[in-house]
Amino acid sequence: MRDDSSKWYSNFWPWFIIGLMGTAITASLITVYIAIEGSDDIVSDTYYKDGLAINQVLEQDELAKTLELKAQLYLSTDKVIANVMSVAPLPDQIILKLIHPADDMLDQTIFLFHEGNGQYQGAGKKATQRYYLQLIGSHEGQMWRLNGEFHPGIDVVAM
């Protein structure tokens, strides 16, 4: 017969196994916290509705082609200047959206007002990161849209 006078808690192996399980539980709780707090902003909650609206977006791009719209954007430190050319009359106001590829908290919307001769101007901060650009206006009640892309170090963007 074997006589072990030592208690279980004075041995190494039970504490080793408890430590492994505690480490696994702690790591899983940290992973759950990261997953909840660091949700991905790229995925849209309204993906189905966005999918249904894709035809309207394509119609905006087609209207811009029909109107032969072209634009050049000058992005300075405190303002944005847009030179817009079209075969149709231009609206009094257009909207410039700067869409960050990964973080929607960095998105910007800038209202540009017509100064004459196709030139628009508005106040906005100069972008220091890569952005997708959307220039949005209207013609006879229909919306048009021009798309472009901004890269840091470039002051002029053609759309």
Side-chain angles (χ1 to χ4, degrees):
M1 206 162 175
R2 191 170 162 190
D3 184 24
D4 287 334
S5 60
S6 65
K7 304 290 184 195
W8 71 268
Y9 51 82
S10 63
N11 291 319
F12 168 75
W13 290 109
W15 289 112
F16 179 75
I17 292 171
I18 291 171
L20 283 177
M21 289 189 298
T23 303
I25 290 170
T26 303
S28 65
L29 291 174
I30 290 171
T31 303
V32 168
Y33 174 78
I34 291 171
I36 291 172
E37 291 299 315
S39 65
D40 193 0
D41 294 335
I42 297 173
V43 179
S44 173
D45 291 336
T46 59
Y47 64 91
Y48 183 73
K49 194 184 294 184
D50 294 344
L52 292 176
I54 192 70
N55 290 334
Q56 293 175 345
V57 171
L58 294 175
E59 289 173 3
Q60 292 175 356
D61 294 342
E62 287 298 319
L63 180 59
K65 286 180 187 175
T66 303
L67 298 174
E68 297 177 20
L69 281 161
K70 294 180 183 160
Q72 276 191 323
L73 294 175
Y74 300 94
L75 304 162
S76 68
T77 313
D78 59 346
K79 66 181 174 180
V80 177
I81 299 172
N83 289 323
V84 182
M85 295 156 278
S86 174
V87 296
L90 296 169
D92 293 333
Q93 175 182 329
I94 57 177
I95 299 170
L96 174 63
K97 289 186 177 182
L98 284 83
I99 303 166
H100 193 272
D103 188 359
D104 62 353
M105 297 298 289
L106 296 175
D107 291 355
Q108 297 180 43
T109 300
I110 301 170
F111 295 94
L112 304 173
F113 299 97
H114 198 226
E115 302 283 323
N117 294 330
Q119 187 174 35
Y120 290 83
Q121 189 169 336
K125 297 186 304 186
K126 183 170 182 173
T128 57
Q129 300 178 11
R130 181 174 166 239
Y131 279 91
Y132 296 117
L133 304 174
Q134 289 183 350
L135 195 62
I136 302 168
S138 65
H139 174 71
E140 296 179 355
Q142 292 182 308
M143 301 298 290
W144 52 260
R145 180 181 79 168
L146 290 175
N147 296 310
E149 194 170 328
F150 171 79
H151 295 277
I154 298 174
D155 291 335
V156 179
V157 178
M159 301 175 79

